[in-house]
Amino acid sequence: QVQLVESGGGLVQAGGSLRLSCAASGRTFSRYVMAWFRQAPGKEREFVAAIKWSGGGTYYADSVKGRFTISRDNAKNTLYLHLNSLKPEDTAVYYCAAHLWKGRYSGSYADYDYWGQGTQVTVSS
């Protein structure tokens, strides 16, 4: 059974940094895209960043380019999101997601097959 478990969320001051982790288990992810989404109250689920489990290449939403960094540690089967220069508008529940690579990155939540439970990030002014 595929399981994605996020951790690392919490309360941080504006301008600060945070690292989120997503522990993946249940199968081999070598042919998968791993991604982060976020959802604030009253808003749609928003794509943040994606990375292939194998090989190079990353994809970021314009709103987080230069501030957030997606990475992975294959030996630990863990996905990361480094959030820097945080703003109050970054406050949201952050979700880890995955789907089989089909030749392109997707920013649509409907294209992802597996999801974590989410971890809350709250950025104070």
Side-chain angles (χ1 to χ4, degrees):
Q1 184 176 9
V2 172
Q3 190 170 20
L4 306 175
V5 181
E6 302 98 330
S7 62
L11 177 64
V12 63
Q13 293 181 331
S17 299
L18 204 62
R19 186 185 73 173
L20 307 182
S21 299
C22 172
S25 63
R27 67 181 60 189
T28 300
F29 291 91
S30 60
R31 292 183 178 272
Y32 279 74
V33 170
M34 307 295 294
W36 290 95
F37 286 76
R38 66 185 183 184
Q39 188 166 24
K43 296 185 178 180
E44 294 182 345
R45 193 170 300 179
E46 176 188 22
F47 172 79
V48 176
I51 187 170
K52 290 179 67 177
W53 195 258
S54 301
T58 55
Y59 177 51
Y60 294 92
D62 289 341
S63 61
V64 304
K65 286 182 180 178
R67 297 195 299 124
F68 294 3
T69 302
I70 188 170
S71 63
R72 63 180 189 270
D73 186 333
N74 290 356
K76 296 181 178 180
N77 240 30
T78 301
L79 178 74
Y80 301 99
L81 184 69
H82 292 82
L83 301 82
N84 302 308
S85 302
L86 282 162
K87 306 173 182 178
E89 47 265 49
D90 293 318
T91 295
V93 177
Y94 284 71
Y95 297 92
C96 176
H99 80 88
L100 188 67
W101 174 252
K102 295 182 178 181
R104 66 188 186 278
Y105 289 106
S106 175
S108 175
Y109 65 84
D111 288 337
Y112 287 80
D113 301 309
Y114 307 106
W115 293 87
Q117 82 288 350
T119 185
Q120 176 123 51
V121 172
T122 302
V123 184
S124 63
S125 299

